[in-house]
Amino acid sequence: MKFYGEELSSRLFLGTAQYPSPAILQDAIKVSRAEVITVSLRRETTGGTGAAFWDLLRDLGCRILPNTAGCHSVQEAVTTAQMAREIFGTPWIKLEVIGHGDSLQPDVFGLVEAAKILTDDGFQVFPYTTDDLVVGEKLIDAGCEVLMPWGAPIGSGQGLRNPDALRAMRAHFPDVPLVVDAGIGRPSDAAEAMELGMDAVLLNTAVAKAGDPVQMARAMAGAVDAGRDGFQADPMERRDMAVPSTPVLGLAEFGPEFGGEFE
């Protein structure tokens, strides 16, 4: 699995916000086996707790994917991305341009505009988008080589609200890496996303706000692996009627003394 030419073995991307403590965050990332972690620029400062947090992330040895979380305009997102590149030293950026305050749904018009500006500036953009095929096409035309459709609103834990749309995206973009971003609440949600053929899952709240974040991180890692294996195994089609698993041909025949109908 490659993203902008970088090969990864883990298909679970993990966020770093809202954990009970830095130690729990560190342990959760380790057991998740995540190789990519997302970080908001707002978590970083030139000193104090921000510097300690940055030291912790570097010690983990993961690839940093800065994000523009909380940005509501193109200019805000572009400026934040440029600052993140200077701080983290990476062209990778998870691009968010929020259009709706309650659902945190992306402003897809601003998203495409910002993606074009950033790719022209040398960024490698991971756009947080909807599951709309036309928007996906526009983002690819803008220079994005990855699409990150939402499963449900950020932090909602609702799972995949429209699996048919994600299935359609997989069929429409067979060669584009697809990462389900937002809405994953349980390991079964992550497994379902992977069974649909997604290349990876990005989540944060489901782990950070669990009763035991470390155990949940381990569960999510297992679910992602199981879902991927299930997809590659080519699952059986769903059926409307029952089909016996034991063949009728060759069954024993019983006489009248055993309730049979022949002599």
Side-chain angles (χ1 to χ4, degrees):
M1 181 180 58
K2 291 185 178 182
F3 294 91
Y4 291 103
E6 295 291 331
E7 187 170 333
L8 302 173
S9 58
S10 173
R11 296 178 182 272
L12 176 61
F13 294 10
L14 206 59
T16 57
Q18 305 183 63
Y19 284 81
S21 72
I24 291 177
L25 165 63
Q26 195 170 37
D27 289 344
I29 291 174
K30 288 178 179 178
V31 302
S32 75
R33 308 190 305 277
E35 296 175 87
V36 176
I37 54 177
T38 64
V39 182
S40 170
L41 182 65
R42 290 163 175 77
R43 298 291 302 276
E44 294 305 311
T45 62
T46 55
T49 57
F53 180 72
W54 179 220
D55 289 340
L56 180 150
L57 297 182
R58 282 186 293 195
D59 289 343
L60 289 168
C62 296
R63 180 90 188 216
I64 302 296
L65 176 59
N67 65 46
T68 62
C71 293
H72 290 260
S73 70
V74 172
Q75 186 57 55
E76 186 181 11
V78 169
T79 301
T80 300
Q82 291 168 340
M83 294 172 63
R85 180 167 60 182
E86 293 299 316
I87 292 175
F88 297 107
T90 175
W92 281 19
I93 190 74
K94 178 191 170 188
L95 180 61
E96 296 183 24
V97 182
I98 301 302
H100 190 267
D102 291 333
S103 68
L104 301 182
Q105 179 172 329
D107 172 1
V108 295
F109 304 101
L111 182 66
V112 172
E113 182 181 348
K116 176 62 174 173
I117 293 171
L118 291 174
T119 54
D120 286 348
D121 192 27
F123 281 88
Q124 296 171 335
V125 179
F126 293 69
Y128 165 61
T129 183
T130 62
D131 49 26
D132 186 281
L133 298 181
V134 177
V135 175
E137 290 280 9
K138 298 292 185 182
L139 289 167
I140 296 297
D141 291 343
C144 297
E145 297 181 15
V146 179
L147 296 176
M148 302 181 71
W150 66 348
I154 293 173
S156 68
Q158 295 179 10
L160 307 185
R161 296 176 67 179
N162 195 347
D164 287 338
L166 294 175
R167 189 178 291 108
M169 288 195 77
R170 179 72 289 166
H172 191 69
F173 300 105
D175 301 318
V176 176
L178 300 180
V179 182
V180 170
D181 179 13
I184 300 296
R186 291 168 173 78
S188 56
D189 301 330
E192 182 182 9
M194 298 305 295
E195 286 176 357
L196 292 175
M198 301 296 105
D199 294 283
V201 168
L202 192 160
L203 55 90
N204 184 167
T205 309
V207 170
K209 305 302 287 185
D212 186 336
V214 176
Q215 185 173 358
M216 183 59 76
R218 184 182 295 108
M220 287 294 185
V224 167
D225 290 344
R228 180 64 182 178
D229 286 345
F231 171 72
Q232 292 184 310
D234 190 15
M236 63 174 285
E237 295 294 329
R238 294 181 183 271
R239 297 163 173 166
D240 293 332
M241 300 293 291
V243 177
S245 56
T246 302
V248 176
L249 184 64
L251 287 179
E253 297 182 356
F254 299 100
E257 65 273 22
F258 295 105
E261 296 181 357
F262 64 93
E263 295 183 1

